[in-house]
Amino acid sequence: MLSPLGLFTVLLGAALPLIDFFIVNVALPAIESDLHAGAALLELVVAGYGVAYAVLLVLGGRLGDSFGRRRLFMAGMAAFGLTSLACGLAPDAWTLVAARVAQGASAALMLPQVLATIHSATSGHRRAKALSLYGATAGLAMVAGQILGGILVAADIAGTGWRAVFLVNVPVAAIGLFLATRSVPETRSEHPAPVDRPGTLLLAVSLITLLAPLTEGRAAGWPVWTWVSLLLFPFASIAFYLVERRADRAGRVPLVPPSLFHSAGMRRALPLVLPFSLGFGGFMFVIAVALQEGLAYGPVEAGAALVPMAVAFFAASLAGPRLVLRYGGRVVTAGGLVQAAGVAVLAASVARAWHAGGMSGWALLPGLALAGFGQGLQLPVLFRLVLADVPAARAGVGSGVMVTAQQSALALGVATLGTLFLSLAPGHGMRDALVIVLVVQLAAVLGTALFSLRLPRHVG
């Protein structure tokens, strides 16, 4: 069984990769100045991590099933600490990009083991509580990343500046390794399957041909390779599905078994994780750029502006388990409506306060707090629903699929909403660009709330 200390340790491992996906948002201006990196290279600092992370997550889950989840968790944690050190010591922009790609690959080894370990080493009420805590940790980590990034950049500890956002991971990873050796149980699949090489390759091609051009295209001026890549994406995706379906029907164990989606949780809840994460990832990137470049906020101010969102998310995640017992999947619907109200209030506040010549953190507070509370009601419940019916033997695969979907959507949110914002800002101004992005996000949130009515009333 997973002890409280073991649960804390794996949740620490879950928080680190998500914090690092967002922590660079407020550090990008400092990186650009120090390393003389252009827009395209800055996009790669963000995208290199996200694409490597998303591409290898399902493979990381499969390896954990085969070789032991505790072993892969510790290997990923050690590699994450070393690659974070490489990021912090990078002498130039291209070295930083390479280190970020390696850091994303390390995170892909570590993160799938977290949910798989929870799924395999807990049951009943303990599992439900652990999954709720995982959802709360994931949401808080995404917001806390930008808050922590702003503090570290401004603190300029020992003259490290932006490098501190990576170097801080080194002692945390060392502590995580120490705790893991004493508290995390070893689990693995009773019938581990060999690595699905064709499936792994085709999944990698599918994700790369979608995420790479969307994240890099605008900064690079949309060269020919971006359009060729996007053209290849549907063919690679269809080929991946056909190969996986054939292997599943033949009795083999593909990388992503189509039969996994026969469970109600995967079929109904996973599609809602996608728009939620897309909007979350895009919003966090856009708000960081808008506050720093549009309103001339410093890194601490930009990070501190998100504190109400983090506090409200935490409060909702604490209340969520009790509400779920009474209202089941309707908590997700209510959370979507609260989040929609928050986004609408935020858009109105931006339109009014920015027009008046400035915008304080107090003007942002009501909308951010409402949005954060709504998100805190949704995310932990969605995670529980996705994995509710996944057999323990497929815990690694199921966890890898869910986290891959989440991570791909986060990266896609940065690419799509970020590109929309940065394309509109020169002609319409930062204020109007931000309002338009918020309206687009509002439409997505309302759609998610509507489709959440299909979720089961009972959440196991």
Side-chain angles (χ1 to χ4, degrees):
M1 295 294 290
L2 189 63
S3 67
L5 181 60
L7 179 60
F8 170 81
T9 304
V10 295
L11 290 180
L12 178 65
L16 277 176
L18 289 169
I19 286 174
D20 258 62
F21 182 83
F22 291 95
I23 201 169
V24 298
N25 284 347
V26 291
L28 288 176
I31 293 172
E32 180 179 20
S33 174
D34 188 32
L35 299 184
H36 309 291
L41 274 177
L42 288 177
E43 292 275 4
L44 279 176
V45 170
V46 178
Y49 177 87
V51 172
Y53 185 18
V55 163
L56 296 172
L57 273 165
V58 180
L59 178 61
R62 172 63 61 83
L63 292 174
D65 286 350
S66 299
F67 298 105
R69 292 154 188 152
R70 176 175 174 269
R71 179 182 297 177
L72 266 293
F73 177 81
M74 292 179 64
M77 179 76 79
F80 193 83
L82 291 173
T83 52
S84 296
L85 180 63
C87 290
L89 299 179
D92 54 62
W94 280 110
T95 304
L96 178 58
V97 169
R100 283 284 283 172
V101 171
Q103 190 186 35
S106 303
L109 280 183
M110 177 171 58
L111 189 60
Q113 319 315 327
V114 175
L115 279 170
T117 298
I118 289 173
H119 204 67
S120 300
T122 60
S123 60
H125 175 70
R126 287 172 59 87
R127 179 184 294 172
K129 183 179 179 181
L131 287 174
S132 293
L133 287 172
Y134 175 87
T137 300
L140 282 173
M142 290 187 279
V143 181
Q146 292 191 192
I147 298 172
L148 179 62
I151 293 171
L152 289 172
V153 171
D156 194 22
I157 302 168
T160 54
W162 62 266
R163 298 177 187 275
V165 304
F166 301 115
L167 295 176
V168 71
N169 294 329
V170 179
V172 176
I175 293 169
L177 276 173
F178 175 79
L179 294 176
T181 59
R182 287 157 175 76
S183 63
V184 177
E186 182 63 281
T187 63
R188 67 183 73 202
S189 174
E190 293 183 3
H191 305 287
V195 172
D196 174 14
R197 291 185 178 85
T200 300
L201 178 62
L202 285 171
L203 177 63
V205 172
S206 299
L207 290 175
I208 289 172
T209 52
L210 175 65
L211 295 177
L214 288 179
T215 52
E216 190 66 11
R218 185 200 63 83
W222 297 105
V224 174
W225 71 264
T226 59
W227 299 108
V228 172
S229 182
L230 288 171
L231 184 65
L232 289 174
F233 166 69
F235 296 99
S237 301
I238 293 170
F240 172 69
Y241 172 73
L242 294 176
V243 166
E244 298 297 274
R245 186 180 66 175
R246 181 182 300 173
D248 207 11
R249 289 178 174 177
R252 300 191 298 273
V253 183
L255 186 71
V256 180
S259 58
L260 192 68
F261 294 90
H262 292 169
S263 71
M266 277 282 179
R267 194 171 60 253
R268 295 181 182 179
L270 187 62
L272 298 183
V273 173
L274 296 175
F276 179 95
S277 300
L278 190 150
F280 203 125
F283 171 79
M284 296 301 286
F285 175 80
V286 167
I287 198 69
V289 175
L291 293 181
Q292 291 187 95
E293 296 188 11
L295 292 174
Y297 277 31
V300 172
E301 288 178 287
L306 297 174
V307 169
M309 189 177 181
V311 171
F313 189 104
F314 182 66
S317 65
L318 291 180
R322 291 190 297 274
L323 294 172
V324 166
L325 287 176
R326 184 170 181 179
Y327 301 106
R330 293 297 176 265
V331 173
V332 177
T333 307
L337 294 175
V338 173
Q339 184 189 358
V343 174
V345 169
L346 186 60
S349 300
V350 169
R352 182 180 63 253
W354 201 308
H355 184 69
M359 190 169 189
S360 69
W362 293 108
L364 293 167
L365 191 151
L368 286 175
L370 273 174
F373 194 86
Q375 290 165 338
L377 290 177
Q378 295 173 80
L379 192 61
V381 183
L382 287 174
F383 282 167
R384 282 175 60 180
L385 283 168
V386 170
L387 296 176
D389 304 325
V390 175
R394 286 183 163 184
V397 176
S399 303
V401 169
M402 188 186 77
V403 179
T404 297
Q406 180 200 18
Q407 181 60 38
S408 299
L410 287 172
L412 196 58
V414 174
T416 52
L417 294 181
T419 296
L420 175 63
F421 175 76
L422 294 173
S423 299
L424 291 172
H428 294 77
M430 287 276 184
R431 185 200 68 170
D432 289 351
L434 180 56
V435 170
I436 292 171
V437 168
L438 289 172
V439 170
V440 171
Q441 186 181 5
L442 176 60
V445 172
L446 289 173
T448 302
L450 177 63
F451 284 109
S452 70
L453 293 172
R454 298 178 62 247
L455 295 174
R457 292 296 299 266
H458 173 71
V459 179

